[in-house]
Amino acid sequence: MNIILRLEHLRVYPITESRKISNFFWAFIIFLGSLGLLLVAISSYLGMDFFFFLSEEISDFPFILDYIYFPFIPQGATMSFYGIGGLFISFYLWCIILWDVGSGYDIFDKKETKVCFFRWGFPGKNRRIILEVPMKDIQSIRIITGVKEGGIFTRTLTYESIVYMETIEQGFIPLTRIEDNLTPPEIAHKAGELAIFLGVPLLY
């Protein structure tokens, strides 16, 4: 797992949530798809051929109709509904990407004798979400492995490990996530490094 700062008394780990490649991909695809549906709905409402700007190119292909028209009721209205809904979803995805919601840092500071979990939230009072845990409350670093079935038609089992920090007041706080796609050596390395840094036992 990436670490952006490693000092004798300090460890800082970045957390990436909203600005993942998959979120950019789906926000772009949903925007294009919903925009296409909305354009078809508008052309249906106006009684126009949706492919009027490609009429000359389409005429070169005899298997494509020269004129394509969708009646506004019900096809056009349905497409407009899905198009507007898709634009709202795309707008929401681009907003959380812009605001970087869910991203932040895990800060382990020996000088301040505390661990700070910082996350960006939505604009407003909870824009900055901070959870502080005194190091004296940390009991151990644990690697907990769960078993997950592969699917309906397969009986393969996959083992998923997550690093937790066990505390007195907050209980178990996850330090890694399944979607981080960390390999077992990377998970073991992070858990071992933090256990040594915090001076607590590493448990499996």
Side-chain angles (χ1 to χ4, degrees):
M1 191 174 189
N2 293 332
I3 181 170
I4 59 174
L5 187 59
R6 179 185 282 111
L7 300 176
E8 183 179 351
H9 67 280
L10 185 66
R11 297 288 189 276
V12 179
Y13 295 89
I15 302 298
T16 302
E17 182 63 31
S18 301
R19 295 179 180 177
K20 296 179 180 178
I21 296 177
S22 59
N23 287 345
F24 281 99
F25 172 80
W26 286 115
F28 184 71
I29 291 299
I30 292 174
F31 173 76
L32 289 182
S34 57
L35 188 62
L37 289 173
L38 201 57
L39 289 176
V40 172
I42 293 174
S43 66
S44 173
Y45 179 77
L46 298 177
M48 300 170 54
D49 178 16
F50 179 66
F51 297 105
F52 68 92
F53 55 90
L54 296 175
S55 57
E56 295 182 1
E57 289 78 359
I58 290 178
S59 62
D60 296 333
F61 300 92
F63 53 86
I64 299 180
L65 298 176
D66 293 335
Y67 185 79
I68 300 176
Y69 170 71
F70 294 97
F72 184 72
I73 302 295
Q75 287 92 339
T78 303
M79 289 184 179
S80 64
F81 173 78
Y82 284 114
I84 293 173
L87 286 178
F88 275 110
I89 294 174
S90 175
F91 177 75
Y92 170 78
L93 290 175
W94 284 115
C95 283
I96 64 173
I97 289 172
L98 177 65
W99 295 325
D100 205 13
V101 175
S103 300
Y105 305 95
D106 292 347
I107 305 172
F108 301 81
D109 193 342
K110 279 187 176 181
K111 278 189 176 180
E112 299 292 334
T113 64
K114 66 181 180 180
V115 178
C116 178
F117 299 96
F118 172 82
R119 300 291 185 271
W120 290 111
F122 288 96
K125 286 198 310 182
N126 295 325
R127 174 57 175 156
R128 297 184 177 185
I129 303 171
I130 300 175
L131 172 64
E132 294 184 348
V133 179
M135 284 189 175
K136 64 181 181 179
D137 290 348
I138 302 173
Q139 295 182 311
S140 66
I141 298 294
R142 290 177 178 261
I143 299 178
I144 299 179
T145 302
V147 181
K148 181 180 179 182
E149 294 185 3
I152 299 175
F153 301 104
T154 61
R155 294 186 177 181
T156 57
L157 299 178
T158 56
Y159 296 89
E160 299 170 340
S161 298
I162 299 178
V163 179
Y164 289 90
M165 184 175 70
E166 183 183 6
T167 65
I168 297 175
E169 295 291 335
Q170 304 294 334
F172 288 90
I173 300 176
L175 301 179
T176 62
R177 301 165 301 173
I178 295 175
E179 54 267 29
D180 291 335
N181 295 321
L182 298 177
T183 63
E186 290 175 331
I187 292 174
H189 178 267
K190 178 174 182 178
E193 181 183 36
L194 286 177
I196 294 172
F197 179 77
L198 297 172
V200 297
L202 173 60
L203 305 177
Y204 290 86

